[in-house]
Amino acid sequence: MATQIPGLRRLRTATAAGLCLAAGAIAAMAAQRHTLDSVNERLEQLEKHALTQRQANLAMQQRQHWELLSKAIDDPELAEVLGVFEVPVTDRQRRQYLFANALYTNLLCYYRIGNMSKDEFFKRVRGTFQNPIVRDYWYATQQQRASLTGTEEAELGHLVDDLLLQLDEADTDEWWVVGDPPLDT
């Protein structure tokens, strides 16, 4: 039988223990990594579901808004409930303003659910506001928008206000080139 040096035996034992410890640590880290990957995947699924749910909620809100406006457009007595304009309006103007509100709200909804970029919103609003009735509606509801602060809707309202100012000051009939589209953020 060969005689072993006691220090060498301890070194082998320590090395083996160190290797076992390292292997255990690697296995634990791999398990933690797997758990973290699973948690991240689940969070991504939840975020995607939340975004989808938000879009569905906005679409439902848009549908309900249109149903209410449709009733008001069809029934002058109901339209009087929504008659909160800065200036006196006739029944005809009220119906036109309610429809202008529906057009603008539709663009707003499309932007909010991600169906168009801010640049596309700007370009479509620029076209929509070529109609003098839509502009009159916008000016007749200015104080209502003034109460919106710090919201996405307020920001887009300011974008429209700035665009209308630029359109009014433009010395060209080529309205489609007036104003600088916003940077999408």
Side-chain angles (χ1 to χ4, degrees):
M1 218 172 191
T3 324
Q4 292 188 353
I5 304 171
L8 188 57
R9 186 181 303 163
R10 274 183 271 180
L11 179 61
R12 284 184 185 162
T13 303
T15 302
L19 288 174
C20 287
L21 184 63
I26 290 172
M29 287 179 10
Q32 284 179 339
R33 182 65 190 174
H34 177 71
T35 302
L36 284 175
D37 288 345
S38 296
V39 168
N40 282 334
E41 184 178 323
R42 180 66 179 141
L43 283 174
E44 287 174 13
Q45 289 173 350
L46 290 172
E47 287 171 353
K48 185 177 180 180
H49 175 72
L51 180 60
T52 303
Q53 186 62 49
R54 179 178 182 270
Q55 290 173 331
N57 291 345
L58 285 169
M60 178 61 81
Q61 178 187 9
Q62 175 69 16
R63 190 174 307 116
Q64 290 172 342
H65 181 258
W66 174 246
E67 288 173 9
L68 292 170
L69 284 179
S70 293
K71 288 178 181 185
I73 289 168
D74 293 341
D75 185 341
E77 290 179 12
L78 293 178
E80 289 178 20
V81 174
L82 297 176
V84 289
F85 304 109
E86 314 277 323
V87 295
V89 295
T90 65
D91 287 342
R92 179 175 185 231
Q93 286 175 309
R94 185 179 294 114
R95 284 191 307 275
Q96 290 172 332
Y97 286 5
L98 294 175
F99 190 75
N101 174 270
L103 289 175
Y104 177 74
T105 304
N106 188 55
L107 291 174
L108 182 65
C109 182
Y110 263 51
Y111 170 75
R112 291 176 75 192
I113 65 174
N115 283 356
M116 71 172 64
S117 66
K118 193 179 284 186
D119 178 64
E120 183 66 20
F121 173 84
F122 177 85
K123 290 175 182 176
R124 291 204 186 183
V125 163
R126 184 169 51 192
T128 301
F129 279 82
Q130 292 309 301
N131 184 297
I133 296 169
V134 176
R135 280 193 191 202
D136 288 346
Y137 150 76
W138 192 256
Y139 296 131
T141 57
Q142 190 168 11
Q143 280 194 304
Q144 292 176 39
R145 285 187 311 284
S147 67
L148 301 173
T149 57
T151 65
E152 186 176 55
E153 189 172 349
E155 176 189 341
L156 293 172
H158 291 304
L159 183 143
V160 174
D161 289 338
D162 292 343
L163 172 63
L164 291 178
L165 184 63
Q166 292 174 38
L167 286 166
D168 289 341
E169 293 175 350
D171 58 354
T172 181
D173 291 333
E174 297 175 344
W175 58 264
W176 55 92
V177 298
V178 174
D180 294 321
L183 300 174
D184 279 316
T185 53

